[in-house]
Amino acid sequence: MPLQLLEHPAVSLAQGHGLDLPNQAARARATWVAGRQGRPPLLLVALLWGRSCTSVVQLLGQYLDALFADYACTPEGWSETQAARQVLAALNLQLFRRRQAGERVPELSAGLLLVQDGEAHFLQAGAVGLVHFRGDLTQGLVGRDNPLGDQAELAVIQHSLPLTPNQPLLLAPQPLLDVADLRALREACNSLQPGHLGDLLEPLLSAPGAAALVLPGEPHSLPPVASSTQWPRLETAAPGMEVDGWTLLAHCDYGPPGRLFRAEEEGREALLWLADEDADEAFWQREWVLRRSPVATLPQVLSPRQGRQHAFLLFALPPAGAQSLARRREGRTPLDAKSTLAIVVQLIEAVRSLQRRGMLGLWLNPRQILLDEHGRLLLLPEFAAILPGVTRQPVPPQAVPLAPELRHGRALDGSADQFALAALAYWLLSGQWPEATRPEGGQASRYVPLAGRVRGVPAGWDGVLAKALAPQPRARFEALSEFQLALERLLDQSLRHKPVPRFNRTRRVALAVLVGLPVLLGLWMGLG
């Protein structure tokens, strides 16, 4: 492959790849991106090395597309290194989920190099190394063989390096660095002439792998301007339209009406969820909370392969046959206690994962809670009052259920989500929302017991639900785990002490007579 050169007074770059083996290849890519919070632009260099898979070159191209598209959509409040780290973490989690599902995924190593304002930050995940040539010294940051996707949490090492003009950085897979003649390369760097950076890199590209050579320039030279992107909402959408490379196939009968579609892009299908407002900091913070949540009860966020021009999210398709709770409740009798608890327990797993990442005050809309044919649940969250790093979000006027403190703008904590979970359990059992969850509800709202109105409610559940639905947060359970355990314990007691139906007792007596009569008859004849 011909060398790719990027020459600028601030930073210059030469990159390329060598031989590709049947199941192994490496690729590098670089671009100038905008700095954060008034900082100057930076040069972002990514190198991926893939092994043990077919179509490896095509896959590496797709992963690089996704890395740069995802970086452009990270929250503005993050630093450049935090954004790069989270982009790598998102890729790692995608690979981990695919591996857990039994798919064959490549052994992928990655190195991200950020060069900005006289300093370099290197994020090392797997067997990609970095060499810093400093006069007569060679400093090596050795890559380790721990590929992405081996575990849910990203194993990454971060380095910070001060830069000196005309002292290059070499980024490459560790096996290539192990066999390269770094001494000769260092001596050539000492006598480097302007415009000949590619000549230094070319000998390395006769071997398998890829490499990028970065040369810091004059410290006072201004880097090229890299403008930030805006993502407006799409005013109208309908099946058949194309949105940033995705073709809308059909409306979904769950989620927000008119904003959730099945979509397709080059053979890949996904849920495409259009935002109701232009993308802002809250929009991106919400997306990245979901990206970092590893539980199966939350949707898997997909990375686009080209930069988004509009505000939307991409999710993996839900399991076949999945329906919203709202759809399942249409024209049907309320759920029994066991089915209700199974739903609530799965929702608690999803809510706790969101809370751990700073997302509180959720609207648990039954249209956005899916259940498949095997009872597996998927929560598609959108509204949350509290998101990391942004001001409190206004409450949608139509949102039910919501805790009173959330609806009236008072201080809130995680117990607001406990309130919403209890309200949903009440709705599943009775088909009605508790009074305190509605817009007209407030401090004076009273709990209407289910016992006597709804069949099969375990003894004591009214007390548990009333406590979780208390208008004052301090009167609720201290943690979601306490709320869950209280429901489970009372249901277990109810099932253990459930009376045997009269018909079953009669059948047992008849069976005992039929079995015992021949035995008695045989004994009588033997005695005779």
Side-chain angles (χ1 to χ4, degrees):
M1 165 190 174
L3 283 169
Q4 292 182 340
L5 299 175
L6 185 157
E7 295 183 328
H8 191 274
V11 181
S12 295
L13 169 82
Q15 66 178 31
H17 65 82
L19 303 174
D20 294 330
L21 301 180
N23 295 306
Q24 175 181 317
R27 288 295 184 273
R29 188 179 298 177
T31 188
W32 288 97
V33 297
R36 308 296 178 91
Q37 302 173 14
R39 289 186 288 272
L42 68 147
L43 181 66
L44 176 60
V45 186
L47 189 145
L48 298 181
W49 179 40
R51 295 172 288 168
S52 304
C53 69
T54 57
S55 305
V56 62
V57 172
Q58 180 183 2
L59 282 176
L60 291 179
Q62 292 173 357
Y63 289 140
L64 285 169
D65 290 342
L67 279 176
F68 283 90
D70 286 345
Y71 184 89
C73 297
T74 48
E76 183 68 21
W78 289 356
S79 69
E80 294 83 357
T81 51
Q82 183 183 6
R85 189 184 187 97
Q86 292 301 333
V87 165
L88 275 180
L91 175 58
N92 176 77
L93 186 55
Q94 286 182 24
L95 293 171
F96 175 78
R97 282 178 155 172
R98 289 176 55 194
R99 181 166 283 141
Q100 291 295 103
E103 295 184 46
R104 186 175 179 181
V105 298
E107 295 179 17
L108 191 67
S109 295
L112 290 185
L113 183 65
L114 294 79
V115 181
Q116 182 184 39
D117 201 20
E119 190 174 20
H121 297 278
F122 179 47
L123 303 180
Q124 192 175 41
V128 172
L130 182 74
V131 177
H132 190 191
F133 298 103
R134 306 173 61 185
D136 294 333
L137 298 177
T138 302
Q139 178 185 1
L141 302 175
V142 178
R144 306 298 180 187
D145 197 8
N146 55 334
L148 293 164
D150 275 0
Q151 53 191 16
E153 295 298 326
L154 174 67
V156 64
I157 302 173
Q158 182 172 329
H159 307 271
S160 295
L161 304 169
L163 297 180
T164 304
N166 301 316
Q167 293 188 353
L169 298 165
L170 175 63
L171 180 67
Q174 190 58 47
L176 180 55
L177 295 178
D178 289 340
V179 299
D181 188 351
L182 297 180
R183 180 178 178 180
L185 183 59
R186 185 193 68 218
E187 292 174 352
C189 289
N190 292 335
S191 57
L192 177 63
Q193 298 297 315
H196 290 270
L197 187 62
D199 297 340
L200 293 182
L201 189 63
E202 195 167 4
L204 291 176
L205 304 184
S206 60
L213 194 61
V214 177
L215 181 67
E218 294 298 326
H220 303 297
S221 296
L222 294 178
V225 175
S227 59
S228 299
T229 309
Q230 302 297 319
W231 296 269
R233 72 185 182 99
L234 201 64
E235 296 290 343
T236 58
M241 286 182 57
E242 185 171 308
V243 181
D244 299 351
W246 290 85
T247 301
L248 305 184
L249 301 177
H251 286 285
C252 295
D253 62 357
Y254 47 81
R259 292 197 287 119
L260 190 59
F261 295 83
R262 289 179 68 99
E264 185 267 341
E265 177 211 44
E266 298 179 0
R268 182 173 64 147
E269 286 197 25
L271 291 182
L272 191 147
W273 188 332
L274 297 171
D276 60 349
E277 299 289 344
D278 296 346
D280 57 6
E281 187 75 358
F283 178 85
W284 297 121
Q285 287 285 1
R286 182 168 59 247
E287 173 175 310
W288 283 91
V289 165
L290 291 174
R291 282 180 179 273
R292 294 178 292 167
S293 298
V295 299
T297 45
L298 290 170
Q300 180 181 351
V301 180
L302 301 181
S303 299
R305 292 173 184 165
Q306 68 179 54
R308 279 175 276 191
Q309 304 299 318
H310 296 88
F312 61 85
L313 299 175
L314 290 172
F315 293 146
L317 292 178
Q323 289 185 321
S324 71
L325 292 185
R327 181 70 179 272
R328 284 178 170 268
R329 290 283 289 106
E330 290 177 359
R332 301 186 188 181
T333 57
L335 295 181
D336 60 24
K338 187 175 181 181
S339 300
T340 296
L341 182 59
I343 291 172
V344 170
V345 168
Q346 293 182 79
L347 273 175
I348 287 176
E349 178 189 41
V351 168
R352 291 176 70 180
S353 180
L354 297 175
Q355 287 183 344
R356 284 193 292 269
R357 289 157 180 85
M359 192 167 170
L360 305 173
L362 300 162
W363 175 16
L364 299 180
N365 187 345
R367 278 189 60 92
Q368 293 168 207
I369 302 170
L370 308 184
L371 211 62
D372 72 5
E373 297 169 346
H374 303 286
R376 294 187 293 254
L377 181 137
L378 186 69
L379 170 63
L380 303 175
E382 184 171 35
F383 170 77
I386 303 296
L387 290 162
V390 296
T391 59
R392 183 161 168 166
Q393 300 298 291
V395 174
Q398 75 277 19
V400 175
L402 289 181
E405 67 271 22
L406 180 54
R407 192 176 297 281
H408 300 295
R410 298 193 295 270
L412 65 91
D413 55 22
S415 69
D417 297 319
Q418 179 189 141
F419 182 100
L421 285 161
L424 189 71
Y426 191 100
W427 177 79
L428 290 169
L429 291 164
S430 68
Q432 298 177 339
W433 292 112
E435 180 182 328
T437 69
R438 305 172 195 154
E440 66 272 16
Q443 300 295 330
S445 300
R446 67 184 186 90
Y447 178 84
V448 179
L450 298 172
R453 299 189 301 115
V454 177
R455 293 179 56 187
V457 176
W461 265 32
D462 270 319
V464 173
L465 293 177
K467 182 177 176 66
L469 289 166
Q472 292 291 345
R474 63 176 178 272
R476 300 170 196 153
F477 291 95
E478 291 188 5
L480 284 174
S481 57
E482 291 186 23
F483 171 58
Q484 178 181 333
L485 287 171
L487 293 175
E488 290 174 338
R489 184 177 64 253
L490 292 170
L491 177 61
D492 186 55
Q493 292 176 2
S494 174
L495 294 176
R496 285 205 310 268
H497 299 120
K498 188 175 182 180
V500 179
R502 182 181 181 86
F503 175 76
N504 285 349
R505 292 201 302 269
T506 304
R507 188 164 60 179
R508 289 179 184 176
V509 171
L511 184 62
V513 170
L514 289 174
V515 172
L517 191 59
V519 175
L520 292 174
L521 184 60
L523 289 174
W524 179 76
M525 292 180 66
L527 290 173

